[in-house]
Structure formats: structure tokens, C-alpha cells
Amino acid sequence: MILRTDYLNELKKWKDENVIKVVTGLRRCGKSTLLKQFQSQLTDSGVEPEQIIAVNFEDLEFEELLDYKKLYSYILLRLNPDKKNYIFLDEIQMVKDYQKAVDSLFIKENVDIYITGSNAFLLSGELATLLSGRYVEINMLPLSFKEYRSVHKDGSDESAFAEFQRFGALPYIVTLDNTNEMADTYLEGIYNTIIVKDIEERQKRKNENGKRRVNDIALLKNIARFLACSVGNPISIKSIADYITSSGRKVSQNTVGDYVSALVEPYIFYSVERYDVEGKQLLKQNQKYYISDLGLRHHIVTKKNYDLGFSLENTVFLELKRRGYKINIGKVGKTEVDFVTEKNKSKVYFQVTASMTDEKTFEREIKPLKNIKDNYPKIILTLDRFTLGDYDGIIVRNVIDWLLED
């Protein structure tokens, strides 16, 4: 197992704190393995095995516990009143009304709760209302390039990065030998499971509450393909609806909005709002969408629609998210900055481009940063190594070196 050190440190930081630890993220990004690794750390630190109660709801052994009342009773019988109890509930969204069991367990003495889920609704609706201020979210992503490189040690950093961009970074992918054929088969299985099983199951729950239901899988895949092709481009719900209509099927903006939400909820895509740097306000129109794994993007997008620059931008977005930055797309007058990031009340501006060697590209990428008048760091990340340096305070760095840094 690949040790997910950053996430383990985050769990360790919150250990024994009086909040529920909620680990979210794309299916098969490593959430279950993370819980197992953390449980091993607990036992290594002196926690006795009987103090750990772990339930994986994808395991048929625990099928009866999909009833929240039975789940509550099962755990209640195993609680040790004289010692700290560590409760791990993996893929909790499979339990209808799970929040009732979680809330009842949370108020018990000597209980430390960790739950995982592959759908953003975990932190909306019932749970957010019931446990407001009593949980912390740890959003988990596939492997970083640094983690990927710790496994793939052969060859140059550049060749490893090319594979990383092509096949993505889901943990199981990096263990496959016959990468091309086996990776494509594995990614197809993951994608279809999320699209068909996870989203459909979630929509059934919504339908029971009288909400609009997403039930056209062909339309859902078509919109997913559009978003994957449009990574790095500002788009609106209207532009997606117009595209679908132009291809011969009339669809309303409300329907498109529901389907886009259905793709964002299971962490296939992340939406990012635009920010007016000069006006210092968020803009309501034309968000960008980034995909959670580039292997999935390769699976969805045909080669003729593939663009290295946008995939590189997607990689930087995911890394910034891993590093804990709040991220927006920057508007500077009529120009754009790829990422306006904020952390610890300090900003950093990022531009991303495959190469800076062309003079027009160089000027296009550096101009928006020159137009920003504050003194926060301004960085351009590129694959080329010919243009690296400091240009009046604007730093050009190699993106692979940046990804591998501590």
C-alpha cells in the first residue's frame, strides 16, 4: 500500500478532537486504504484492537447494517465505556438516514468517529444541518505526482510525468504492469460504476424526496464528455445546453444544471468560480470545471480533443487543492490569470502553460500578472526549462520540479 502521509497527518492532527472526521473523494482514490493505514498507526501507538470498530459498507458481511438502527445497535454493543472507542464507517452514504446513527454515536462518551463517502451530499442537507460545526472535511484526491514518483522510480522525471498525465493517479493504476490495456479497462469500470451505480442510487434518494431525478445516462455521459473536453475553459450552463441542442437534442438549462450537479457530487469534477482581481469580487458567470483524475479524462475524451496545456492546468489545480489553497479563476481587466489562490490570508497568483519559448505565448502569459498591482507572489509554471527565471518579480518555474518539491 502507498502510504498517504499528508492525509494520515491530517487525521492524526484531528485524532481525539470532538469533531467527526469526514473523508470525501472520488471512488477508488484511496479512502478505504487510508482508514486501514490510520488504524494500523493507532494500534502501533498502543490502541488495543478491541477499541477499534470498523465497518465497510461495500462488504457483504455488513449488509444488515445498511439499516441505520441496526448499525447503531451493532456499534453500541461493542463500545467500551472505560476506553476511547475509534469508529470507522466506510462509504457511509450507502446507509439511508445514516446521519441519525452518526449523531447518536457522536454524543456518546469516549467516541472518536471517522466516516468516508464518495458523494458531496455527505456534507449537505441532513448532515450539515444535524452536525453543523461538529465535523471537519478532509477531501482526498488521487495520488500526487510526488506520491506517484515514489512508486515509479525508474526513468526520468519527464517520462514518469508523461505516464502520470496519460494514465492518471488512482492508486490501483500505478500497480498495473500492462498499463495501457489494463488501465483503460480499469478506468472504464470505475467510470461506469460512478455514472451508472453511484449517481443513479443518489438520484433514487432524491426522487423519494420529490426532487428532480437524473435518469438519462446517455445525456449524463454526453455532458461529462463536454466538461472533460472543456477543462480549462470558462463555460456556463447555457453553453452546455446550446451544445447539446446543436447536436440534435433539445434540453433545458434547468435539466443541464441538474446533470452537472450530478457529476460534481461524486467528485468526478470540481467547479471553480471566477474572481475579479481588480474589483475584488466573485463573478457569477462562466465557471471552470476540472476533472479529479486525468486518466478518466483520457478515457472520456477522444485524442483529437486532447490538449496538453489544459491537462497541465488540471494537474496544477489538483496539486493546489492538495496543498490546501482556496482557488479561484482570476479576471484582470480583459485578461485572465489561471489561478488566484489564498492560504493563511496570503495570496499567490499562478499561470500555467506547456511552453514559454514562443515570444507571443511568453507575452500572453506574463501580461496579466504584470497588470496586478499588489505584491503577492506571481508564478508561471511551464514544462520547458529554457525560460526559467525571475522577470521583474514574476517567477517562471518548471512544473515538474514544483510538483516534486517538499
Side-chain angles (χ1 to χ4, degrees):
M1 292 190 295
I2 301 168
L3 203 63
R4 308 301 299 273
T5 306
D6 290 341
Y7 296 112
L8 286 170
N9 288 339
E10 193 70 12
L11 289 178
K12 186 177 180 181
K13 180 177 76 175
W14 289 102
K15 175 180 171 287
D16 295 332
E17 295 292 339
N18 192 34
V19 290
I20 298 168
K21 277 62 75 172
V22 185
V23 182
T24 59
L26 180 72
R27 176 179 283 270
R28 298 293 175 262
C29 72
K31 299 185 297 296
S32 300
T33 300
L34 178 69
L35 292 193
K36 291 177 182 177
Q37 291 177 351
F38 188 62
Q39 290 165 34
S40 294
Q41 286 194 354
L42 288 177
T43 54
D44 289 344
S45 68
V47 173
E48 297 175 1
E50 56 267 27
Q51 292 176 251
I52 297 174
I53 305 169
V55 179
N56 185 338
F57 294 102
E58 291 187 313
D59 190 333
L60 195 59
E61 178 184 349
F62 300 110
E63 185 176 22
E64 283 192 359
L65 303 186
L66 294 177
D67 181 310
Y68 77 91
K69 293 180 181 178
K70 291 182 179 179
L71 170 63
Y72 177 71
S73 297
Y74 173 88
I75 294 175
L76 200 62
L77 287 171
R78 288 160 175 77
L79 292 180
N80 188 327
D82 301 320
K83 294 182 179 180
K84 195 74 172 182
N85 297 272
Y86 296 92
I87 300 173
F88 296 88
L89 304 175
D90 197 5
E91 297 296 351
I92 189 68
Q93 79 273 358
M94 296 178 67
V95 180
K96 185 179 179 181
D97 295 327
Y98 70 89
Q99 69 277 358
K100 296 178 181 178
V102 171
D103 182 54
S104 295
L105 291 168
F106 178 71
I107 62 177
K108 300 292 181 187
E109 294 289 333
N110 292 325
V111 165
D112 195 15
I113 302 178
Y114 301 78
I115 67 178
T116 78
S118 301
N119 201 296
F121 86 92
L122 272 174
L123 298 181
S124 63
E126 302 95 337
L127 186 65
T129 302
L130 199 59
L131 301 175
S132 178
R134 293 189 286 176
Y135 67 83
V136 58
E137 180 189 13
I138 300 169
N139 185 239
M140 192 173 190
L141 294 167
L143 300 177
S144 67
F145 182 58
K146 189 174 182 180
E147 290 172 319
Y148 182 92
R149 195 69 176 119
S150 71
V151 179
H152 282 261
K153 298 180 180 179
D154 297 334
S156 66
D157 290 338
E158 283 72 17
S159 62
F161 185 68
E163 289 187 4
F164 177 78
Q165 293 287 97
R166 167 64 181 87
F167 299 113
L170 293 173
Y172 185 68
I173 287 287
V174 305
T175 68
L176 298 178
D177 293 327
N178 187 358
T179 311
N180 276 293
E181 182 180 347
M182 296 177 71
D184 287 338
T185 302
Y186 179 72
L187 289 167
E188 181 178 10
I190 295 264
Y191 181 60
N192 286 332
T193 298
I194 296 171
I195 290 289
V196 178
K197 181 181 176 183
D198 294 354
I199 291 180
E200 181 64 16
E201 180 62 30
R202 174 59 180 149
Q203 295 308 313
K204 286 179 181 177
R205 301 273 181 89
K206 284 186 174 181
N207 198 48
E208 290 172 0
N209 296 325
K211 297 181 180 179
R212 192 180 288 110
R213 181 177 173 185
V214 171
N215 54 13
D216 189 332
I217 298 301
L219 177 60
L220 190 66
K221 287 188 173 182
N222 201 3
I223 292 174
R225 189 178 303 110
F226 180 89
L227 292 179
C229 289
S230 304
V231 159
N233 288 308
I235 58 175
S236 64
I237 296 300
K238 181 180 183 302
S239 66
I240 302 173
D242 290 345
Y243 164 76
I244 300 296
T245 301
S246 69
S247 63
R249 174 174 180 175
K250 191 171 183 179
V251 62
S252 71
Q253 292 185 42
N254 285 338
T255 298
V256 170
D258 292 335
Y259 278 63
V260 169
S261 295
L263 291 165
V264 170
E265 277 191 347
Y267 303 102
I268 301 176
F269 293 95
Y270 289 95
S271 63
V272 185
E273 293 182 301
R274 297 171 69 230
Y275 176 78
D276 187 338
V277 175
E278 296 172 336
K280 296 183 179 180
Q281 62 181 352
L282 290 174
L283 303 173
K284 295 181 179 180
Q285 295 182 332
N286 297 338
Q287 294 181 331
K288 285 189 178 184
Y289 290 85
Y290 295 96
I291 198 163
S292 58
D293 181 73
L294 285 175
L296 285 175
R297 184 175 190 238
H298 265 280
H299 175 72
I300 298 170
V301 178
T302 58
K303 288 184 178 179
K304 68 177 182 179
N305 290 324
Y306 185 77
D307 184 279
L308 174 61
F310 289 139
S311 285
L312 196 63
E313 185 178 322
N314 201 119
T315 296
V316 171
F317 165 77
L318 293 175
E319 184 64 22
L320 289 169
K321 191 168 179 61
R322 283 189 195 93
R323 297 185 186 188
Y325 286 98
K326 177 184 175 183
I327 308 167
N328 289 115
I329 308 304
K331 176 183 177 295
V332 185
K334 294 182 179 180
T335 61
E336 184 178 277
V337 175
D338 289 328
F339 301 117
V340 179
T341 69
E342 186 173 346
K343 187 177 180 181
N344 300 326
K345 298 183 179 180
S346 181
K347 291 180 181 178
V348 184
Y349 300 99
F350 288 92
Q351 288 283 66
V352 185
T353 182
S355 174
M356 290 277 285
T357 54
D358 179 77
E359 186 176 350
K360 290 183 179 179
T361 302
F362 188 96
E363 290 301 321
R364 183 186 70 235
E365 298 297 334
I366 208 167
K367 181 179 178 181
L369 297 178
K370 284 183 175 180
N371 290 338
I372 299 173
K373 303 307 179 184
D374 62 43
N375 294 317
Y376 290 116
K378 301 171 180 67
I379 300 171
I380 300 177
L381 298 172
T382 179
L383 280 172
D384 83 62
R385 294 185 178 276
F386 299 101
T387 56
L388 309 186
D390 184 330
Y391 298 84
D392 296 324
I394 298 171
I395 308 300
V396 179
R397 295 194 58 188
N398 178 266
V399 67
I400 295 177
D401 294 344
W402 178 78
L403 290 167
L404 292 174
E405 70 183 8
D406 291 331

